[in-house]
Amino acid sequence: MLWCPVFQELSAWIKVEQLKPYHAHKEEMIKINKGKRFQQAVDAVEEFLRRAKGKDQTSSHNSADDKNRRNSSEERSRPNSGDEKRKLSLSEGKVKKNMGEGKKRVSSGSSERGSKSPLKRAQEQSPRKRGRPPKDEKDLTIPESSTVKGMMAGPMAAFKWQPTVSEPVKDADPHFHHFLLSQTEKPAVCYQAITKKLKICEEETGSTSIQAADSTAVNGSITPTDKKIGFLGLGLMGSGIVSNLLKMGHTVTVWNRTAEKCDLFIQEGARLGRTPAEVVSTCDITFACVSDPKAAKDLVLGPSGVLQGIRPGKCYVDMSTVDADTVTELAQVIVSRGGRFLEAPVSGNQQLSNDGMLVILAAGDRGLYEDCSSCFQAMGKTSFFLGEVGNAAKMMLIVNMVQGSFMATIAEGLTLAQVTGQSQQTLLDILNQGQLASIFLDQKCQNILQGNFKPDFYLKYIQKDLRLAIALGDAVNHPTPMAAAANEVYKRAKALDQSDNDMSAVYRAYIH
């Protein structure tokens, strides 16, 4: 994969096979990509070509002037003898012939070099690791990979890219801030745990952007907070989160309703809390990730619950997917005791949780959000700050409503293919070659084709999220007929005893 300096604001990596000649595909790509940033990239390329052409013309003009001056000097110094002129002419002819042969040899050598792939040439030219961010944060030079250096050899060698300071997006919501952790080169399109190196910069808007470059380093690429971290709930998502917090060097105290689940993490270096109240009282920031609104309330308001451990300065971060009313109620009781509150539900599944590649949606105490930055870096690839409490809950329900509806549609399509005599595998192959192609689509279809419904995201939880999303629409008198239809299919699957299977088991609702 190649680092693309044109897309510097996106920290883009491009696969070699996706590279296309600029002039041949320019008009086609402009028609397909109508975004502002793509147009800015095209303008930057055109500006570079204009400057390069200007330099070539200036160089040619200067060379011509030099040649004329040399010729004039030679004419003045030459003898008038005709024999001498003939000798000189023959000598010049030999020089020109030799120069022509030299050019042919150089061209041949260039051809041989060109037969090698850009990636291979880069590896031969420089052992330097790719993707390293610049050490000096004030230095705005784009981190250039050795591959780019290889490709810049020849006519482009003298050109140095001059990046401009990125301007804030004019239409951006001032209440919307986010961490953008760029994913970098992987050997295949699959989920893999990555470790990250932080780069902090202040944008002109005043918001904080924390970018991470994949260093594929071991523990230490993230500087863990010195605050004591607590974590309540070691389910499918919580287990992966805690594991990554420990790997990145955080001090973590854990609690789970079923105590046996804590044993593995104690072996990895976690401390054991006997009750939620004890964890909160002994830790600076306590995270919680439980199944539904009732579990979230019980955890805070129940016997030996979170609220009993809250005192001024204590921080509580609820990562459960619940409705906005529930999270608002929890925020109020925590703050009433002098505590600080942040909601931070996560988008992803068990695999993404294990790999530290979750997407975190946060809202509430902005200062607490920033205090959690090293934790969010350890557990996720991206985190968004969405403003006041309740916004993250709403956004999370909308995201899962779309995902749940899509899953039901996938199952519906596969069963329709089957009953009409079409190959389900061929349908998947076709979808994987089209615009719907995604890891989610491929994995869930494979689950169905293989009859493997081991939970990666419980069916009962996606149905819960659909139900809460429909209620959210009802509260603002907004129709959600697609989600409502999907919800009925999931309810049918639950009636068929599929609650504790993966959401892809909704397929069984169509075949029974």
Side-chain angles (χ1 to χ4, degrees):
M1 300 180 78
L2 305 177
W3 173 267
C4 180
V6 170
F7 295 100
Q8 54 183 312
E9 294 183 13
L10 300 181
S11 300
W13 290 84
I14 300 177
K15 293 183 177 180
V16 173
E17 58 267 23
Q18 292 177 337
L19 293 176
K20 296 181 179 180
Y22 175 71
H23 290 291
H25 295 272
K26 172 184 170 184
E27 297 301 327
E28 173 191 350
M29 296 306 295
I30 290 177
K31 290 178 182 179
I32 297 174
N33 301 278
K34 298 182 179 180
K36 180 179 178 182
R37 289 191 175 184
F38 184 84
Q39 186 58 52
Q40 289 174 344
V42 173
D43 293 342
V45 172
E46 293 292 339
E47 176 66 14
F48 160 65
L49 294 176
R50 185 184 67 77
R51 290 183 181 179
K53 184 177 181 181
K55 287 182 179 180
D56 289 342
Q57 290 175 348
T58 301
S59 177
S60 298
H61 180 70
N62 291 339
S63 297
D65 289 345
D66 290 343
K67 184 175 181 180
N68 289 335
R69 283 193 293 270
R70 286 196 301 270
N71 289 341
S72 297
S73 177
E74 288 172 0
E75 286 292 336
R76 287 193 298 271
S77 63
R78 285 175 187 168
N80 293 326
S81 166
D83 292 339
E84 292 296 331
K85 287 182 179 180
R86 283 192 295 272
K87 289 179 181 178
L88 183 60
S89 177
L90 289 170
S91 176
E92 287 177 352
K94 289 180 180 179
V95 170
K96 287 180 180 178
K97 182 179 179 181
N98 291 337
M99 287 177 66
E101 291 175 354
K103 285 181 181 178
K104 288 179 181 178
R105 286 194 294 270
V106 170
S107 175
S108 174
S110 299
S111 226
E112 289 173 6
R113 287 193 300 271
S115 66
K116 295 181 181 180
S117 71
L119 183 58
K120 188 170 183 179
R121 288 203 308 273
Q123 290 170 343
E124 292 173 354
Q125 290 174 8
S126 173
R128 177 185 159 201
K129 294 183 180 179
R130 294 170 289 167
R132 295 289 188 185
K135 294 180 181 178
D136 186 356
E137 298 305 331
K138 294 181 181 179
D139 182 7
L140 294 177
T141 303
I142 302 168
E144 183 181 23
S145 72
S146 59
T147 304
V148 173
K149 286 187 175 180
M151 294 187 70
M152 295 292 281
M156 297 176 69
F159 177 75
K160 184 176 181 181
W161 186 268
Q162 298 294 336
T164 56
V165 178
S166 60
E167 298 179 357
V169 182
K170 294 181 180 179
D171 299 330
D173 182 347
H175 299 293
F176 181 86
H177 310 283
H178 65 277
F179 293 142
L180 174 60
L181 311 185
S182 59
Q183 297 181 58
T184 61
E185 178 181 0
K186 296 295 172 187
V189 182
C190 61
Y191 300 128
Q192 296 189 10
I194 64 171
T195 53
K196 300 119 184 169
K197 183 174 293 183
L198 301 186
K199 173 186 173 185
I200 303 177
C201 60
E202 287 296 321
E203 298 177 343
E204 292 181 17
T205 57
S207 63
T208 302
S209 173
I210 299 182
Q211 298 187 348
D214 174 23
S215 63
T216 59
V218 292
N219 193 12
S221 58
I222 292 177
T223 303
T225 178
D226 57 2
K227 298 180 183 298
K228 296 178 181 178
I229 304 300
F231 204 95
L232 312 175
L234 300 174
L236 287 182
M237 306 297 278
S239 294
I241 292 172
V242 170
S243 180
N244 282 303
L245 288 172
L246 291 169
K247 288 176 184 176
M248 293 301 114
H250 295 83
T251 300
V252 186
T253 300
V254 296
W255 173 90
N256 191 71
R257 186 176 55 185
T258 306
E260 291 76 15
K261 285 190 176 182
C262 297
D263 294 343
L264 177 62
F265 302 102
I266 302 302
Q267 294 173 15
E268 293 181 8
R271 301 172 183 177
L272 178 64
R274 293 175 296 181
T275 66
E278 180 183 291
V279 174
V280 172
S281 63
T282 57
C283 296
D284 301 304
I285 303 174
T286 300
F287 294 85
C289 187
V290 292
S291 58
D292 56 32
K294 182 179 183 304
K297 288 182 179 180
D298 289 345
L299 187 61
V300 173
L301 305 174
S304 300
V306 168
L307 193 58
Q308 293 184 20
I310 292 290
R311 58 179 184 269
K314 292 294 181 180
C315 303
Y316 186 63
V317 182
D318 195 338
M319 307 190 79
S320 313
T321 300
V322 298
D323 58 286
D325 289 342
T326 296
V327 78
T328 300
E329 179 183 347
L330 297 179
Q332 289 173 348
V333 296
I334 296 294
V335 173
S336 69
R337 294 287 184 93
R340 300 167 64 195
F341 183 85
L342 184 74
E343 59 167 330
V346 293
S347 177
N349 53 30
Q350 183 182 26
Q351 186 65 56
L352 291 175
S353 176
N354 292 340
D355 292 345
M357 297 292 283
L358 295 170
V359 175
I360 301 138
L361 311 183
D365 189 318
R366 177 59 189 265
L368 177 52
Y369 171 68
E370 293 172 352
D371 288 342
C372 292
S373 63
S374 75
C375 296
F376 289 158
Q377 297 282 350
M379 67 180 73
K381 67 174 181 179
T382 312
S383 66
F384 295 84
F385 183 76
L386 304 179
E388 64 183 19
V389 170
N391 285 346
K394 294 172 184 176
M395 185 67 80
M396 189 73 259
L397 291 177
I398 294 169
V399 169
N400 283 357
M401 177 189 77
V402 172
Q403 182 174 254
S405 299
F406 183 42
M407 181 66 252
T409 301
I410 292 171
E412 192 168 293
L414 285 171
T415 51
L416 182 59
Q418 184 180 39
V419 299
T420 56
Q422 306 304 307
S423 166
Q424 292 179 322
Q425 181 61 57
T426 300
L427 172 60
L428 173 57
D429 293 341
I430 293 169
L431 292 174
N432 275 336
Q433 294 299 315
Q435 293 180 321
L436 293 178
S438 65
I439 293 174
F440 178 84
L441 171 71
D442 186 62
Q443 286 185 338
K444 298 308 178 186
C445 284
Q446 293 293 351
N447 286 353
I448 292 171
L449 294 179
Q450 296 169 13
N452 176 19
F453 299 108
K454 180 181 177 181
D456 196 42
F457 192 121
Y458 284 115
L459 184 144
K460 61 185 176 185
Y461 292 158
I462 197 68
Q463 190 273 322
K464 175 261 298 182
D465 294 343
L466 281 166
R467 173 173 54 81
L468 293 177
I470 293 167
L472 176 62
D474 288 343
V476 293
N477 197 32
H478 181 77
T480 53
M482 310 306 288
N487 185 47
E488 293 304 314
V489 182
Y490 282 101
K491 285 163 65 177
R492 166 68 177 161
K494 286 177 67 177
L496 294 170
D497 219 15
Q498 301 300 310
S499 292
D500 292 325
N501 282 333
D502 186 72
M503 69 164 73
S504 53
V506 69
Y507 173 80
R508 289 178 170 168
Y510 287 96
I511 60 177
H512 289 87

